[in-house]
Amino acid sequence: MPHSKVCVSDNLSHYMPLTADDHRLLEELEQNPRTATKDEVLWQSDDVPATLYTLRSGWAYSLHSAGSGNEQILDVFLPGDLLGIRELTFPAYATSLVMLTDGVVCPFPAERLLNIFESSPTLTLAIHASAARQQAIITERLVNILRHDARSRIAHFMLELYYRLKRIDATFTHDFTLPLSQRDMSRLLGMTTVHISRTLTELEREGLLRKTRRNVQILDLDGLARVVSFDPFKITDKLNPLFKGGASGSWTQRNPVSSARPSR
Amino acid sequence: MPHSKVCVSDNLSHYMPLTADDHRLLEELEQNPRTATKDEVLWQSDDVPATLYTLRSGWAYSLHSAGSGNEQILDVFLPGDLLGIRELTFPAYATSLVMLTDGVVCPFPAERLLNIFESSPTLTLAIHASAARQQAIITERLVNILRHDARSRIAHFMLELYYRLKRIDATFTHDFTLPLSQRDMSRLLGMTTVHISRTLTELEREGLLRKTRRNVQILDLDGLARVVSFDPFKITDKLNPLFKGGASGSWTQRNPVSSARPSR
DNA sequence: CGTACCTTTGACGGCTGTCAAAGGAAGTGG
DNA sequence: CCACTTCCTTTGACAGCCGTCAAAGGTACG
């Protein structure tokens, strides 16, 4: 297993302190863990969203298919992520969800999430903060893709993963498992596998990054950051100070704005 | 004024029936309308999100800036849209919001939205459905950009606008005002203005589309749809049948799943 | 040990960016 | 109403990044 187990509580408590009740509500979501095998499809395009998942261990991705051979990976999900919120309100999924490695997922009915919305404003806010970060990751990646060349695209994605993994894994180093093939990366970054290969070779020749079949070594973090400015603040755990201390009750009495974004 | 006034009630009631109380809550958001002039900046990157807006009339866009001359337009907002939800939970905006035309906006404090979340589950759901569609528009556009050439990018964007405008404007025809310059389109679609110009000329020569300085004529809707398959269902007003009839109360008793997505 | 998939490398072509220049449209001030 | 400025649009020449096609070697798995 590439990474240890992370539960949704661990993830959401990054955003704000959760009460014992909140933790209990989240544990209820994870009462039915089951193993999932690499390449297993948790849902497909056109399915009606009814079951959500938490990802306890392993990696997964969402795949947007349009015509034959025209596939785009949208999300890469890591342990602790909540799967399916983005498309919950639609009458049909626009993407499929596929396991990238073996792992453990916890399916739960969508209604349970709605019960949380009714019973805990704090958890509701934390879940929406989490969903907003998932969207921000996509947005940052795709903005970068639109405006930079192959070298920058790959550097940006590696920095994204670096910061996301460091957040969930205390034992994390600059040498980590990456269960994505070059074909996966091509479908994520909008390039051909041929060009992915060429560019990885170039990055290694420059001493920035070394990718083997299932590992990545970040050789020069600052060098990568010079290639492309990835701003980890864009997917920060920090909340809008309006919401400091959680949501319930005191929404109308505004908290003092203790710290705006530190100027860079 | 390019388009008539549309209020948030009109927008959100597309998703589900709203009660009189819901309409009243939404009207409270729009108690302070004010005019906004073209190029006016409603917020900037790094501001702390505290005030949200509804867009009553006129167009606006959100702009992601990274370094000098490196700007990307993320959203194009039309009358009736709610501005700022996407970044509400972040400690700082990642984008600026700029008026594309003169218009009328209604600022309201973020706390008011949170009060809605507490008092109306139905409205909460409608607002999140709306936010999810805003995200889906970005996702569809950027997936298309990654996988298609300039002709398809422009065709896709025009079809997106066509369906979005038809939704809010009953008097809408195939000949409509488009307050976007070619420079704006270049920042939206990730191309240079030079290539936008070339490609528009090509599309007109093919009899698909004619763009003048501030108008667009869709000459051949089916022809455009053959260039790139834009699927209006991906940004549909239809809700997940789980939520039919609104949110309150009956969440735990699942409604019968009346109709899955019609097969195409 | 054989098969399927992944990765690497080379040659070639095309789409799109860059650079440059000129014409047109809109707004401003006299 | 007319100069003047500024921004937008168009067109051409050229270069470069990246896709396509092809083939070969490597790795994992049964």
Side-chain angles (χ1 to χ4, degrees), chain B residues 139-208:
Chain B
T139 304
E140 284 298 310
R141 184 189 303 142
L142 293 183
V143 163
N144 177 268
I145 285 172
L146 280 182
R147 312 213 63 83
H148 295 290
D149 64 4
R151 229 164 108 257
S152 299
R153 292 183 187 194
I154 292 181
H156 187 276
F157 175 60
M158 290 301 172
L159 289 173
E160 174 202 322
L161 276 183
Y162 173 81
Y163 288 109
R164 289 179 66 193
L165 289 168
K166 205 166 70 166
R167 174 179 180 271
I168 62 172
D169 184 0
T171 69
F172 178 69
T173 69
H174 283 202
D175 187 341
F176 57 91
T177 301
L178 179 70
L180 287 162
S181 69
Q182 292 188 9
R183 174 157 175 271
D184 296 327
M185 289 178 65
S186 79
R187 295 187 298 177
L188 180 76
L189 300 177
M191 304 159 50
T192 58
T193 60
V194 173
H195 207 64
I196 294 273
S197 172
R198 274 196 268 260
T199 308
L200 283 174
T201 304
E202 184 186 335
L203 287 171
E204 181 171 348
R205 201 163 21 76
E206 297 178 51
L208 296 172

Side-chain angles (χ1 to χ4, degrees), chain A residues 181-183 194 197-198 213:
Chain A
S181 69
Q182 292 188 10
R183 175 157 174 271
V194 173
S197 172
R198 274 196 267 259
R213 200 164 274 253

Side-chain angles (χ1 to χ4, degrees), chain B residues 196-231:
Chain B
I196 294 273
S197 172
R198 274 196 268 260
T199 308
L200 283 174
T201 304
E202 184 186 335
L203 287 171
E204 181 171 348
R205 201 163 21 76
E206 297 178 51
L208 296 172
L209 189 75
R210 175 199 302 271
K211 175 162 189 320
T212 60
R213 200 165 273 254
R214 48 170 51 86
N215 264 277
V216 172
Q217 288 178 46
I218 297 203
L219 300 175
D220 182 355
L221 187 64
D222 295 338
L224 282 176
R226 276 191 296 275
V227 169
V228 57
S229 62
F230 179 86
D231 184 354

